[in-house]
């Protein structure tokens, strides 16, 4: 109760501060920035150009709040209540509201800071910092006009931040921030992690190349071997074109490879929790799947490290007037410390939407998502999900969604809680983001 009271109080104060400083809170006052409302849909990376002049330090306080009503049931082939795989019965009810608090600060011309705090989440009811970064698009803070021709094409980001691997993380729900996700859930293999990292971008006429380096740690520590880790290296390249006749085409490819690490956090780096609560009795990761390239035993000197997990994702995006298509092809390989051979997984995702109405404020669509691969021990499994739903932007800052979700688990061993497992039902979600 104390944690919930603190969350509510913090969010009320955030709203008060936003109202008090409304004149200075317009997202269009910030350079190289993606608005956290409807106008920021399908922006992906922050824009590399701006027509906004820097007019002194500008602090933008924003946030997001999401509430769901969940009507989902689940089942498997286990009927013995004493068996650990027996699933508890779910009821139709509200989930815990999730909330974010954001600070975005224009520090100098082309120099911006971002900080996000989770005020409440499925995994933690208390407030805690997700992470943040410093984004550098100009070098005027060193000397006005320094290398300005070069900086027209270069960006640097550094921080304890969300890694820019793939494009799904731009369309996912990040705890309370759900307004850019057309559906309720994220992908089954949720490619998302926050690590201390640096990213260098080159952009020129729609062509983008990015090189990133992270320290491979989700929880930071200076104690040697706690955990033992080497840097992760990741790349991204893409082309993004918007024509005058309303056609938008974007295609990107991303690759990540780990060094020596006790866990490849890319598929279990989100500590806020999934968007489908308690399904398949999976705790805060319910409905997701991780390949499990992680440590499974400890040596006397600490965690034994796993070597070289890899991941590749390709994302096409097409928008023609109100029609919108987004695709995912992802493959990953790696092993845990007790394995001698790499295992692999493949993820496929297809989204099709139609946006219509005034300013495309209403949309209908569907998503198909599948994951298949090899578990420890050699069992080949697959998971399939279908989402059908839509949404209505009441204003640029308020969105309501309704979706039907159905997910099934195939080829799991008898006795596993996933054997003949499935869940399905309806989820209604309300989102406020500013």
């Amino acid at each position: 109760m104390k944690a919930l009271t603190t969350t509510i109080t913090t969010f009320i104060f955030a709203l008060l501060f936003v109202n008090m400083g409304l004149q200075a809170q317009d997202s269009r006052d910030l350079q190289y920035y993606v608005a956290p409302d409807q106008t920021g849909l399908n922006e992906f990376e922050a824009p590399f150009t701006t027509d906004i002049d820097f007019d002194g330090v500008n602090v933008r306080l924003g946030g997001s709040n999401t509430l769901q009503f969940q009507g989902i049931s689940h089942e498997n082939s286990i009927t013995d209540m004493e068996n650990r795989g027996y699933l508890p019965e779910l009821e139709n009810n509200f989930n815990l509201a999730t909330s974010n608090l954001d600070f975005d600060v224009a520090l100098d011309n082309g120099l911006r800071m971002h900080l996000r705090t989770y005020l409440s989440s499925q995994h933690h009811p208390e407030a805690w910092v997700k992470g943040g970064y410093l984004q550098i698009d100009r070098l005027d803070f060193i000397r006005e006009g320094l290398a300005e021709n070069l900086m027209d094409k270069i960006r640097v980001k550094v921080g304890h931040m969300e890694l820019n691997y793939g494009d799904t993380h731009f369309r996912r729900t990040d705890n309370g921030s759900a307004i850019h996700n057309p559906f309720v859930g994220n992908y089954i293999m949720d490619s998302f992690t926050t690590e201390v990292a640096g990213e260098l971008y080159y952009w020129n006429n729609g062509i983008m190349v990015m090189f990133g380096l992270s320290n491979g740690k989700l929880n930071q520590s200076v104690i040697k071997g706690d955990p033992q880790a080497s840097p992760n290296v990741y790349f991204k390249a893409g082309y993004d074109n918007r024509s005058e006749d309303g056609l938008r085409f974007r295609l990107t490819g991303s690759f990540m490879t780990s060094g020596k690490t006790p866990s490849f956090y890319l598929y279990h780096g989100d500590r806020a929790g999934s968007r489908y609560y308690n399904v398949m009795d999976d705790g805060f990761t319910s409905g997701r799947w991780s390949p499990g390239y992680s440590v499974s035993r400890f040596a006397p000197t600490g965690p034994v490290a796993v070597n070289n997990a890899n991941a590749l994702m390709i994302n096409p995006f097409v928008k023609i007037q109100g029609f919108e298509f987004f695709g995912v092809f992802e493959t990953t390989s790696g092993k845990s410390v007790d394995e001698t051979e790499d295992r692999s997984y493949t993820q496929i995702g297809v989204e099709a939407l139609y946006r219509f109405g005034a300013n495309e404020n209403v949309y209908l669509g569907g998503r198909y998502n599948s994951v298949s691969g090899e578990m420890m021990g050699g069992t080949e499994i697959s998971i399939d999900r279908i989402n059908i739903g839509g949404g209505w932007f009441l204003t640029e800052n308020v969105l309501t969604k309704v979706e039907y979700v159905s997910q099934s688990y195939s080829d799991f061993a008898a006795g596993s809680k996933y054997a003949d497992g499935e869940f399905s039902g309806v989820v209604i979600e309300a989102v406020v983001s500013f």
Side-chain angles (χ1 to χ4, degrees), residues 31-32 54 56-57 105-113 134-148 151 154-158:
Q31 301 174 317
Y32 310 102
F54 177 74
V57 174
V105 185
L107 298 167
D108 206 318
N109 186 31
L111 183 66
R112 179 172 64 83
M113 183 206 78
L134 191 68
Q135 179 177 299
I136 305 170
D137 288 279
R138 315 301 295 179
L139 297 177
D140 289 20
F141 63 93
I142 299 176
R143 178 170 58 81
E144 185 175 354
L146 177 63
E148 59 183 0
M151 294 307 294
I154 297 293
R155 166 178 294 164
V156 177
K157 285 179 67 176
V158 291

XYZ file of all heavy atoms in Angstrom, residues 31-32 54 56-57 105-113 134-148 151 154-158:
285
model
N 15.024 19.860 -29.966
C 15.695 19.445 -31.200
C 15.907 17.932 -31.217
O 16.103 17.315 -30.169
C 17.058 20.129 -31.313
C 17.000 21.643 -31.326
C 18.392 22.254 -31.281
O 19.261 21.813 -30.537
N 18.624 23.272 -32.112
N 15.870 17.326 -32.408
C 16.232 15.921 -32.603
C 15.526 15.026 -31.576
O 16.157 14.263 -30.842
C 17.755 15.747 -32.483
C 18.553 16.714 -33.311
C 19.168 17.826 -32.719
C 18.694 16.536 -34.682
C 19.911 18.725 -33.476
C 19.433 17.445 -35.443
C 20.042 18.532 -34.840
O 20.766 19.422 -35.586
N 17.990 26.514 -30.821
C 18.212 26.414 -29.376
C 18.058 27.792 -28.747
O 18.668 28.759 -29.195
C 19.611 25.851 -29.103
C 19.937 25.780 -27.634
C 19.369 24.811 -26.828
C 20.811 26.700 -27.065
C 19.667 24.744 -25.476
C 21.123 26.636 -25.720
C 20.534 25.653 -24.919
N 18.218 28.476 -25.155
C 18.494 28.314 -23.730
C 18.079 26.939 -23.230
O 17.352 26.192 -23.894
N 18.543 26.592 -22.040
C 18.232 25.290 -21.444
C 16.719 25.125 -21.311
O 16.031 26.003 -20.787
C 18.914 25.144 -20.066
C 18.472 23.852 -19.386
C 20.431 25.175 -20.224
N 15.954 17.106 -21.577
C 16.539 18.423 -21.326
C 17.411 18.836 -22.504
O 18.367 18.137 -22.857
C 17.380 18.424 -20.039
C 17.875 19.838 -19.740
C 16.582 17.865 -18.860
N 17.072 19.975 -23.120
C 17.928 20.588 -24.134
C 19.004 21.377 -23.392
O 18.718 22.393 -22.746
C 17.117 21.500 -25.039
N 20.243 20.892 -23.444
C 21.338 21.480 -22.667
C 22.108 22.531 -23.464
O 22.646 23.475 -22.891
C 22.301 20.377 -22.219
C 21.686 19.308 -21.305
C 22.629 18.118 -21.201
C 21.400 19.885 -19.935
N 22.165 22.337 -24.769
C 22.855 23.272 -25.649
C 22.390 22.958 -27.065
O 21.619 22.020 -27.277
C 24.383 23.116 -25.524
C 25.126 24.407 -25.876
O 24.724 25.053 -26.860
O 26.086 24.757 -25.168
N 22.822 23.712 -28.021
C 22.432 23.464 -29.403
C 22.888 22.069 -29.826
O 24.082 21.772 -29.856
C 23.060 24.511 -30.323
C 22.571 24.383 -31.749
O 21.441 23.964 -32.004
N 23.422 24.746 -32.702
N 21.934 21.180 -30.123
C 22.266 19.824 -30.529
C 22.741 18.921 -29.423
O 23.310 17.853 -29.687
N 22.507 19.295 -28.163
C 22.926 18.481 -27.015
C 21.722 18.266 -26.108
O 21.176 19.220 -25.561
C 24.046 19.187 -26.246
C 24.650 18.432 -25.061
C 25.383 17.183 -25.536
C 25.593 19.336 -24.269
N 21.284 16.993 -25.980
C 20.056 16.693 -25.238
C 20.275 15.502 -24.307
O 20.985 14.550 -24.643
C 18.904 16.385 -26.206
C 17.592 16.026 -25.514
C 16.452 15.935 -26.508
N 16.614 14.878 -27.493
C 16.284 13.600 -27.275
N 15.818 13.222 -26.104
N 16.444 12.701 -28.235
N 19.635 15.556 -23.139
C 19.668 14.462 -22.175
C 18.282 13.868 -22.020
O 17.275 14.596 -22.037
C 20.146 14.964 -20.807
C 20.281 13.848 -19.771
S 20.089 14.419 -18.053
C 18.308 14.570 -17.921
N 22.865 10.679 -23.122
C 23.199 11.996 -23.658
C 23.299 11.850 -25.168
O 24.018 10.976 -25.666
C 24.519 12.488 -23.076
C 24.890 13.956 -23.320
C 23.938 14.867 -22.546
C 26.334 14.216 -22.895
N 22.577 12.688 -25.905
C 22.570 12.633 -27.369
C 23.244 13.888 -27.915
O 22.856 15.004 -27.582
C 21.138 12.527 -27.889
C 21.024 12.489 -29.405
C 19.587 12.302 -29.859
O 18.943 11.306 -29.549
N 19.071 13.276 -30.602
N 24.254 13.675 -28.770
C 25.049 14.783 -29.301
C 24.862 14.853 -30.811
O 25.270 13.937 -31.539
C 26.547 14.592 -28.963
C 26.740 14.422 -27.450
C 27.371 15.764 -29.482
C 28.138 13.998 -27.055
N 24.241 15.931 -31.285
C 24.058 16.152 -32.714
C 24.828 17.361 -33.225
O 24.947 17.539 -34.437
C 22.571 16.337 -33.026
C 21.798 15.034 -32.902
O 21.849 14.239 -33.861
O 21.153 14.811 -31.866
N 25.308 18.224 -32.328
C 26.159 19.359 -32.691
C 27.276 19.452 -31.651
O 27.129 18.942 -30.531
C 25.388 20.689 -32.715
C 24.049 20.687 -33.399
C 24.099 20.282 -34.854
N 24.829 21.222 -35.697
C 24.995 21.028 -37.015
N 24.497 19.952 -37.606
N 25.660 21.922 -37.722
N 28.359 20.144 -32.003
C 29.485 20.337 -31.084
C 29.607 21.787 -30.638
O 30.670 22.215 -30.189
C 30.786 19.884 -31.754
C 30.869 18.391 -32.117
C 32.186 18.100 -32.831
C 30.735 17.521 -30.873
N 28.505 22.534 -30.700
C 28.546 23.949 -30.315
C 28.867 24.151 -28.844
O 29.308 25.242 -28.446
C 27.211 24.621 -30.637
C 27.000 24.798 -32.137
O 27.672 24.085 -32.914
O 26.157 25.627 -32.538
N 28.639 23.115 -28.018
C 28.958 23.248 -26.597
C 30.472 23.324 -26.378
O 30.939 23.772 -25.321
C 28.359 22.090 -25.788
C 28.895 20.728 -26.137
C 29.958 20.189 -25.437
C 28.331 19.991 -27.166
C 30.456 18.937 -25.750
C 28.804 18.738 -27.480
C 29.879 18.205 -26.788
N 31.248 22.886 -27.367
C 32.713 23.038 -27.310
C 33.109 24.378 -27.916
O 33.801 25.187 -27.291
C 33.416 21.890 -28.060
C 33.060 20.545 -27.419
C 34.938 22.101 -28.062
C 33.624 19.351 -28.149
N 32.665 24.592 -29.137
C 32.898 25.867 -29.824
C 31.840 26.016 -30.908
O 31.585 25.086 -31.662
C 34.306 25.933 -30.425
C 34.593 27.219 -31.200
C 36.070 27.322 -31.554
N 36.532 26.203 -32.337
C 36.372 26.065 -33.662
N 35.742 27.031 -34.347
N 36.844 25.027 -34.310
N 31.215 27.166 -30.984
C 30.131 27.382 -31.938
C 30.601 27.114 -33.370
O 31.629 27.626 -33.808
C 29.596 28.806 -31.831
C 28.374 29.060 -32.713
C 27.769 30.436 -32.501
O 28.235 31.153 -31.574
O 26.838 30.788 -33.250
N 29.825 26.262 -34.062
C 30.129 25.944 -35.442
C 31.200 24.895 -35.638
O 31.569 24.586 -36.776
N 31.715 24.295 -34.536
C 32.778 23.310 -34.650
C 32.320 22.098 -35.463
O 31.317 21.472 -35.148
C 33.225 22.861 -33.253
C 34.302 21.766 -33.214
C 35.603 22.272 -33.854
C 34.552 21.311 -31.771
N 33.050 21.782 -36.510
C 32.805 20.609 -37.366
C 31.338 20.511 -37.793
O 30.786 19.428 -37.871
C 33.238 19.339 -36.645
N 30.691 21.641 -38.093
C 29.272 21.624 -38.364
C 28.909 20.836 -39.620
O 27.853 20.187 -39.674
C 28.712 23.042 -38.458
C 29.354 23.917 -39.527
C 28.788 25.324 -39.502
O 27.904 25.586 -38.662
O 29.225 26.159 -40.319
N 29.003 17.233 -38.486
C 27.919 16.914 -37.569
C 26.547 16.934 -38.238
O 25.562 16.496 -37.646
C 27.927 17.873 -36.372
C 29.162 17.733 -35.480
S 29.472 16.040 -34.918
C 28.033 15.765 -33.865
N 26.515 13.161 -38.458
C 26.997 12.325 -37.354
C 26.150 12.552 -36.100
O 25.735 13.669 -35.810
C 28.477 12.631 -37.038
C 29.363 12.293 -38.231
C 28.938 11.875 -35.802
C 29.435 10.826 -38.558
N 25.923 11.469 -35.353
C 25.290 11.544 -34.022
C 26.029 10.601 -33.085
O 26.468 9.517 -33.479
C 23.820 11.143 -34.087
C 23.190 10.866 -32.709
C 21.724 10.525 -32.789
N 20.975 11.675 -33.253
C 19.730 11.600 -33.719
N 19.121 10.432 -33.813
N 19.101 12.694 -34.107
N 26.129 11.020 -31.822
C 26.722 10.182 -30.777
C 25.727 10.074 -29.624
O 25.139 11.080 -29.203
C 28.055 10.771 -30.263
C 28.617 9.919 -29.134
C 29.068 10.889 -31.398
N 25.502 8.857 -29.121
C 24.684 8.635 -27.925
C 25.499 7.828 -26.927
O 26.128 6.823 -27.284
C 23.407 7.861 -28.268
C 22.349 8.671 -28.979
C 21.124 7.825 -29.317
C 20.373 7.391 -28.077
N 19.127 6.657 -28.408
N 25.472 8.243 -25.666
C 26.159 7.517 -24.598
C 25.259 7.511 -23.368
O 24.537 8.473 -23.105
C 27.529 8.144 -24.246
C 28.520 7.954 -25.375
C 27.382 9.623 -23.907
